Amino acid sequence: MSQIQSSEDLDRVCDVLDKLTLDSLLLIEEKVRLTLNAENAMCGGEAHLAKARYIMGQNSVSALQLPTENSAEFTASAKVYPNEDEKLFGEASYELHLTGTAEGQTVQDPVRWFGVLVPQNLHSARGMFRQALQWAVQTVNIQKQLRATMEKIVELNEVKTRILAK
Amino acid sequence: MALHSAAKGKLISVIGDEDTCVGFLLGGVGEINKNRHSNFLVVDKNTAVSEIEDCFKRFIKRDDIDIILINQNIAEIIRHVIDSHNSPIPAVLEIPSKDHPYDASKDSILRRAKGMFNPDELL
């Protein structure tokens, strides 16, 4: 009687393992696809940065313009928020929000670091990198799902080993 | 908008080459907090590996950071540190850079997933 029970349990575990394995393969495919989308958006953004550099000068669009640890305090305008409506294995997915104000503070426009009259390409580069950011956040969500699926597969493999050992 | 009031937004940090950092900071991810700590690191040929490792470890410890974007070629340099980070938060995402296109076979998570199907390949 217990042997029949074990064989049914084993079948059930194997079924779920099959489904999770298939899910993880689909998630891997999706992660690669989204990363390639982010790569395309970043390439576009980098081309616009190069054009802005050509117009403004080599060192006018570089790391030299970025704030350092001695610069005044400022807040990020692009932050991620948990989306409680979309949960998988108890974890909420992320949602990217771009705001002009963050927690009551006015957010500095990063374009201003590069000057007052900046070429249109710098604005285009910002748009492309924001797009890349959206793809990146979606990739992180898929990566979280993949990680959770992998953990479940490991757990079920242990259960399967225990059943087989009986 | 109810989402905003319920939860505090978390930061996205960047460890990358000049173009990656300039681009994403233009996109609005950069922040300098009250303690004068930034959430980005520009890596060039003069940046020491220990500096990248320390920065990555510092970002992992910060509870206001939920996502770390790192160029895949830089992730390769500190692979041992990235592989030892097993917690889901902050999530580490390897992104391509101008000179190094994305290679799925090097991605930490994908290597782990591949190793699960074929354990011999992880060795």
Side-chain angles (χ1 to χ4, degrees):
Chain A
M1 191 66 188
S2 69
Q3 266 187 339
I4 296 168
Q5 181 69 36
S6 310
S7 131
E8 278 174 8
D9 285 348
L10 189 65
D11 284 347
R12 258 199 304 258
V13 169
C14 287
D15 273 352
V16 178
L17 268 173
D18 285 349
K19 279 177 190 149
L20 287 175
T21 307
L22 206 60
D23 277 355
S24 61
L25 289 172
L26 291 172
L27 288 169
I28 289 171
E29 191 187 355
E30 184 69 0
K31 178 177 151 59
V32 173
R33 192 184 64 81
L34 290 171
T35 310
L36 292 177
N37 284 348
E39 184 173 18
N40 284 337
M42 283 172 70
C43 279
E46 278 153 8
H48 282 296
L49 280 182
K51 284 178 193 165
R53 237 174 236 140
Y54 178 74
I55 296 165
M56 297 172 73
Q58 183 65 30
N59 291 325
S60 303
V61 185
S62 68
L64 296 172
Q65 280 72 43
L66 299 182
T68 62
E69 291 180 355
N70 299 320
S71 311
E73 181 190 332
F74 71 94
T75 314
S77 59
K79 287 188 174 182
V80 283
Y81 290 83
N83 183 356
E84 299 294 338
D85 298 335
E86 275 182 44
K87 276 194 173 183
L88 189 101
F89 300 122
E91 278 188 70
S93 63
Y94 291 121
E95 214 169 77
L96 181 74
H97 286 271
L98 302 160
T99 48
T101 56
E103 279 115 36
Q105 293 172 293
T106 309
V107 175
Q108 201 180 349
D109 184 1
V111 171
R112 294 278 166 265
W113 300 333
F114 302 91
V116 181
L117 289 168
V118 293
Q120 190 56 39
N121 293 104
L122 215 53
H123 293 278
S124 308
R126 177 172 62 178
M128 295 300 278
F129 274 98
R130 280 188 173 170
Q131 213 178 326
L133 215 49
Q134 293 281 7
W135 290 120
V137 172
Q138 282 188 43
T139 315
V140 168
N141 286 335
I142 295 292
Q143 192 170 290
K144 272 177 87 174
Q145 286 184 35
L146 179 60
R147 185 190 273 272
T149 310
M150 276 158 54
E151 278 168 12
K152 284 275 165 214
I153 290 176
V154 171
E155 273 173 35
L156 282 175
N157 269 328
E158 280 168 14
V159 173
K160 189 180 159 184
T161 315
R162 275 204 300 274
I163 294 172
L164 286 172
K166 273 183 192 172
Chain B
M1 289 307 276
L3 207 71
H4 282 237
S5 55
K8 206 178 171 200
K10 294 293 183 86
L11 294 174
I12 301 170
S13 65
V14 188
I15 301 176
D17 60 12
E18 189 178 50
D19 271 13
T20 305
C21 286
V22 169
F24 282 115
L25 260 72
L26 257 180
V29 302
E31 182 168 297
I32 304 267
N33 65 13
K34 284 174 193 163
N35 305 318
R36 293 281 184 275
H37 291 152
S38 63
N39 65 337
F40 56 91
L41 175 74
V42 182
V43 178
D44 58 25
K45 59 181 189 301
N46 299 320
T47 310
V49 176
S50 59
E51 197 184 329
I52 306 170
E53 282 178 8
D54 291 346
C55 179
F56 182 79
K57 286 175 186 165
R58 208 170 49 240
F59 287 167
I60 284 173
K61 282 184 195 151
R62 278 177 62 172
D63 58 359
D64 58 342
I65 293 176
D66 260 15
I67 297 176
I68 300 174
L69 301 178
I70 181 165
N71 279 151
Q72 200 172 39
N73 60 316
I74 299 167
E76 277 291 291
I77 302 171
I78 56 159
R79 182 63 66 199
H80 57 287
V81 188
I82 292 179
D83 284 344
S84 63
H85 170 65
N86 289 316
S87 167
I89 296 171
V92 180
L93 184 68
E94 294 176 28
I95 51 171
S97 64
K98 193 169 61 179
D99 305 319
H100 299 86
Y102 181 65
D103 182 353
S105 65
K106 287 180 184 168
D107 193 294
S108 199
I109 297 286
L110 296 186
R111 276 178 63 242
R112 267 185 233 179
K114 206 176 160 189
M116 224 170 50
F117 300 124
N118 185 4
D120 296 337
E121 287 196 31
L122 204 63
L123 301 171

